[in-house]
Amino acid sequence: MRLMVTGGAGFIGSAVARRAIADGHDVLNVDKLTYAANLDNVAEIASNERYHFAQQDICDQKAMTALIDGFKPDAIMHLAAESHVDRSIDGPRDFIDTNIVGTYALLEAARGYVRSGAAPKGFRFHHISTDEVYGSLGAEGAFTEDSPYRPNSPYSASKASSDMLARAWSETFDLPVVISNCSNNYGPYQFPEKLIPVVVINALEGRPIPVYGKGENVRDWLYVGDHAEALLLVAQQGAPGETYNIGGRAERSNLDLVRMICALLDKALLESESRPHDSLIAFVDDRPGHDFRYAINCDKIERALGWTPTMTIEEGMARTVRWYLDNRSWWEAIRRRGFDTARRQGQAR
Ligand SMILES: NC(=O)c1ccc[n+]([C@@H]2O[C@H](COP(=O)([O-])OP(=O)(O)OC[C@H]3O[C@@H](n4cnc5c(N)ncnc54)[C@H](O)[C@@H]3O)[C@@H](O)[C@H]2O)c1
């Protein structure tokens, strides 16, 4: 397939691009290269003749139209977004621009492509979103595709808005849209301001490991490689007009997750002066509007497309921690470039 992937220099988008190239697809990666992007994430596919890159802002509808007309994708996989909840609290504007206006521009460009007759049969616009649009759960239950939208942060509100636009373009303009909503991703190449890299890097450097509130918030954790596989399946086989929830079936409280990482580091770093690393845990003021629990019911994608997560959290987290230990130069280069870690020292999305 010819896949146009927006946000392909970010964490999940680059996993999709690497996997798509490995699977034999052609990829056009469209990315503005914001602070969250890193071309090192796609270095291993950069010289592949089936891989193409365009530095563009998705808000630029003319540029999106030109890229689509030139590349003639079989599917657009739309991942480009401002993605960090804490940043959306400090400054929501970029989230409105990219997540809402940018999605609108891309939907319009895709609509023009279909209307012109140039789009191939089976073309799909795959909009990638989050479980955070559903709001917060109590101790029981899990989000299904029919759960009501109740976003609580500027980030999740902007993603919810973009989901609504995608849905409306499907209903009103017959654009073949598929939407997927996933839980917290983890794995290699995640930007160092997010929870898991923060824990590993702070522990390595003997600095406090910040945990919001009492660390009781619960998230479902999805290995990024499993997610990339699910996304490629949805882009190829998802039924237009449908939504698919994608989860890892691995719920953990933030505190349990941080302790799991600390235990892995204790084993890996026998000489570390910071052992046991969980002694570095420092509880910090809770994030405003912090959702208590997210959980995903992913029966539908399993039933309809035969996908199920294959990575256990124990194995996935061990691989992830090992990757950050082995790829110090990757995250050190990002830190040298400088990014604002001071804000709240990056906690789970
Ligand atoms: N990371 C998660 O756990 C998670 C969970 C659920 C959903 N999602 C969704 O998955 C998608 C990817 O998330 P991620 O964690 O890889 O994000 P990321 O922040 O790592 O990457 C986002 C990418 O989008 C690019 N981008 C931002 N604004 C752009 C613009 N205006 N034009 C073009 N490119 C732009 C950035 O340069 C970056 O490369 C997002 O839509 C996010 O909402 C992520």
Side-chain angles (χ1 to χ4, degrees), residues 6-13 30-38 56-59 78-84 98 128-132 155 159 182-186 190-191 194 227 349:
T6 71
F11 168 48
I12 303 172
V30 179
D31 199 300
K32 180 181 171 184
L33 300 184
T34 67
Y35 80 94
N38 190 343
Q56 285 290 355
D57 187 335
I58 57 162
C59 298
H78 175 36
L79 295 103
E82 288 292 335
S83 71
H84 193 40
T98 287
I128 283 95
S129 191
T130 168
D131 60 358
E132 299 189 35
Y155 163 69
K159 291 297 290 188
C182 69
S183 56
N184 275 44
N185 281 223
Y186 70 99
Q190 189 167 27
F191 196 75
K194 300 282 175 106
H227 189 204
R349 285 195 296 129

Side-chain angles (χ1 to χ4, degrees), residues 122-267:
F123 168 77
R124 286 178 184 81
F125 185 102
H126 179 186
H127 177 67
I128 283 95
S129 191
T130 168
D131 60 358
E132 299 189 35
V133 298
Y134 300 124
S136 186
L137 288 168
E140 299 291 319
F143 299 127
T144 70
E145 289 78 1
D146 297 323
S147 296
Y149 271 37
R150 291 202 175 103
N152 292 320
S153 73
Y155 163 69
S156 54
S158 69
K159 291 297 290 188
S161 306
S162 64
D163 294 10
M164 295 298 167
L165 292 177
R167 180 189 154 82
W169 261 241
S170 164
E171 294 291 318
T172 304
F173 302 118
D174 270 341
L175 188 70
V177 170
V178 278
I179 300 178
S180 59
N181 296 79
C182 69
S183 56
N184 275 44
N185 281 223
Y186 70 99
Y189 298 103
Q190 189 167 27
F191 196 75
E193 71 183 351
K194 300 282 175 106
L195 175 65
I196 291 166
V198 164
V199 175
V200 177
I201 294 168
N202 284 22
L204 262 179
E205 297 181 340
R207 287 189 283 119
I209 298 171
V211 172
Y212 276 137
K214 295 181 186 156
E216 290 168 339
N217 302 63
V218 175
R219 299 292 180 261
D220 170 57
W221 292 94
L222 170 63
Y223 190 68
V224 69
D226 275 347
H227 189 204
E229 190 192 338
L231 292 179
L232 286 165
L233 208 56
V234 172
Q236 292 173 81
Q237 295 175 27
E242 293 292 326
T243 290
Y244 300 89
N245 280 353
I246 308 174
R249 296 208 168 107
E251 277 186 58
R252 293 289 183 281
S253 73
N254 283 348
L255 188 56
D256 284 347
L257 186 89
V258 171
R259 286 199 174 126
M260 176 192 263
I261 299 169
C262 288
L264 287 164
L265 290 167
D266 288 347
K267 269 201 211 157

Side-chain angles (χ1 to χ4, degrees), residues 15-60:
V16 169
R18 293 190 306 270
R19 177 69 192 256
I21 290 292
D23 287 355
H25 302 296
D26 284 53
V27 170
L28 169 61
N29 176 3
V30 179
D31 199 300
K32 180 181 171 184
L33 300 184
T34 67
Y35 80 94
N38 190 343
L39 287 175
D40 291 347
N41 299 1
V42 282
E44 70 185 58
I45 54 171
S47 57
N48 190 300
E49 58 183 19
R50 285 181 284 105
Y51 173 79
H52 314 273
F53 174 72
Q55 183 174 0
Q56 285 290 355
D57 187 335
I58 57 162
C59 298
D60 184 340

